[in-house]
Amino acid sequence: MAIAAVDVGSGYVKAVAGLAVNSRRVSFPSIVGELPQSMHGQFGVSDLPVIEYADRVWLTGHHALEVLRQHQVADTLGHDWAGSKPWMVLLLRALADMDILEGDVHLVTGVPQASYQDRWRSIASNLLGVHKAVVHGKKMQVTILKGENMVMPQAAAGLYYWMAQDP
């Protein structure tokens, strides 16, 4: 069973696996977009690390920035960003980058303050259960378990961080 905290922010994804001081951490730009069908298998694109999720092929991070046009990447500032399919793609990539590719996961994630009050329940509901993907060629099947505080307002992260540093 894995424990992970993932913040799919509007600028960067930040994540940590485990509770130890030296736990695995990852960070990458929150850039994600669906790879157009017309580009599948084209020269230079077929070697890119892609994520297959929800019957689509996605590019993330720097690769998405290099290949996709601005109108093809997800709007990370919109009210509906948190919990969206592209948001989930970034969350799954963060888990995979921390070598969480299978099994049960206790997850904590943050959502923007403006979205938290009216959307946290639906986001939590969408997170629960089995998620299958292929991330950079690796098959992934994780089960996100229900947790008491699995979706939190992002603004609370700083407070919890400092509390953990000096109880």
Side-chain angles (χ1 to χ4, degrees), residues 5-101:
V6 180
D7 176 13
V8 182
S10 59
Y12 276 84
V13 175
K14 290 106 23 211
V16 61
L19 302 173
V21 172
N22 61 347
S23 293
R24 175 101 193 240
R25 298 168 190 270
V26 298
S27 179
F28 54 90
S30 294
I31 304 168
V32 58
E34 185 178 348
L35 183 66
Q37 189 73 29
S38 62
M39 294 182 76
H40 290 206
Q42 283 196 3
F43 178 75
V45 176
S46 58
D47 294 333
L48 292 175
V50 297
I51 298 173
E52 298 171 39
Y53 177 71
D55 297 321
R56 298 179 189 163
V57 177
W58 306 83
L59 286 173
T60 60
H62 294 294
H63 298 292
L65 187 62
E66 292 170 1
V67 173
L68 302 176
R69 297 178 187 233
Q70 185 62 40
H71 72 277
Q72 294 173 310
V73 298
D75 175 11
T76 63
L77 296 174
H79 182 68
D80 293 334
W81 165 242
S84 68
K85 290 243 189 291
W87 181 90
M88 192 66 191
V89 167
L90 293 176
L91 186 139
L92 291 174
R93 177 185 162 187
L95 292 176
D97 284 357
M98 295 185 297
D99 295 323
I100 301 172
L101 293 165

